[in-house]
Amino acid sequence: MKIYTKTGDKGMTSLCDGSRLSKDDMRIEAYGTLDELNANIGLLISLLQADTLKEGDTFVSLIDFLVEIQEELFVIGGQLACAEIKEDDRFCTQKLIEEIETNIDKLSSQLPVQHHFVLPGGTLPAAQSHVCRTICRRAERRIVTLSHIAIVSPEIFKFVNRLSDYFFILSRYLNNDSSLSEKIWKNTCR
């Protein structure tokens, strides 16, 4: 099978049901941004794996959890790529949302209390986690826009919102774990 089909050469793409939309349609924007997030999570995993080679098994459970998130993002993207979503086709991400919350609580308990805004950066994995956080927030905005014209499961909103929180705490954890102090922004009101 060839990777190029030439069917998108005029700016159109196909949904799961075969219907065609412009590549700048808000539905394509929504699941395309999830795809971008997924690719950036892949980069984060690669950076963590490089650290694992140096430090042993430190990040193995983080990597496994990130892979689980990647798989769920494919499921959500697939749902968003359907022109019509019936009530029966909705799925439940509640278990994974609860896992995200548990992981946030676990990582947060190991961090110093935050009193200021954190400037993105630090170690490569922490900086990449911040990139994932911001792409996740953009995906959330795109999904909200889509929800104005299409049915979107409330579970998707919860999942994506919680996921961006997870990437923020993960970035703090990764910097803290490396003994790298976070850079903070002290000028919160000018």
Side-chain angles (χ1 to χ4, degrees), residues 15 43 49 64 76 84 101 104 109-110 125 127 183 190:
L15 295 180
L43 177 56
Q49 287 170 330
D64 290 344
I76 293 170
E84 292 191 30
E101 290 172 350
I104 289 171
S109 71
Q110 301 173 51
K183 292 184 180 179
R190 288 187 186 193

Side-chain angles (χ1 to χ4, degrees), residues 13-30:
T13 192
S14 295
L15 295 180
C16 292
D17 65 357
S19 61
R20 307 278 298 164
L21 290 177
S22 174
K23 289 185 178 184
D24 66 352
D25 185 90
M26 67 181 73
R27 180 176 299 282
I28 309 305
E29 279 289 327

Side-chain angles (χ1 to χ4, degrees), residues 28-148:
I28 309 305
E29 279 289 327
Y31 74 75
T33 306
L34 288 178
D35 187 38
E36 181 183 352
L37 172 60
N38 211 338
N40 275 277
I41 294 170
L43 177 56
L44 175 57
I45 290 169
S46 295
L47 293 169
L48 289 171
Q49 287 170 330
D51 278 358
T52 300
L53 293 175
K54 295 177 205 166
E55 300 178 22
D57 293 341
T58 308
F59 300 124
V60 172
S61 64
L62 290 175
I63 292 168
D64 290 344
F65 188 60
L66 289 169
V67 169
E68 188 176 351
I69 288 168
Q70 283 188 299
E71 291 170 353
E72 190 66 22
L73 287 172
F74 269 124
V75 171
I76 293 170
Q79 184 183 28
L80 295 178
C82 294
E84 292 191 30
I85 302 167
K86 302 175 195 126
E87 286 289 325
D88 296 345
D89 293 339
R90 292 183 180 194
F91 60 98
C92 182
T93 60
Q94 188 58 40
K95 180 180 175 283
L96 192 53
I97 291 169
E98 289 170 7
E99 286 182 51
I100 291 171
E101 290 172 350
T102 299
N103 277 283
I104 289 171
D105 294 342
K106 180 181 169 187
L107 296 177
S108 294
S109 71
Q110 301 173 51
L111 297 173
V113 177
Q114 179 186 347
H115 297 288
H116 296 90
F117 286 105
V118 175
L119 294 174
T123 65
L124 283 174
Q128 182 60 27
S129 189
H130 276 292
V131 170
C132 290
R133 173 185 58 80
T134 61
I135 296 170
C136 192
R137 285 290 186 210
R138 180 161 33 92
E140 183 178 25
R141 293 189 301 270
R142 298 297 184 263
I143 293 167
V144 167
T145 301
L146 176 62
S147 75
H148 296 304

Side-chain angles (χ1 to χ4, degrees), residues 170-186:
L170 179 59
S171 66
R172 292 195 67 220
Y173 172 80
L174 293 170
N175 277 334
N176 189 64
D177 186 63
S178 72
S179 301
L180 186 68
S181 62
E182 291 178 313
K183 292 184 180 179
I184 57 172
W185 184 54
K186 294 180 183 176

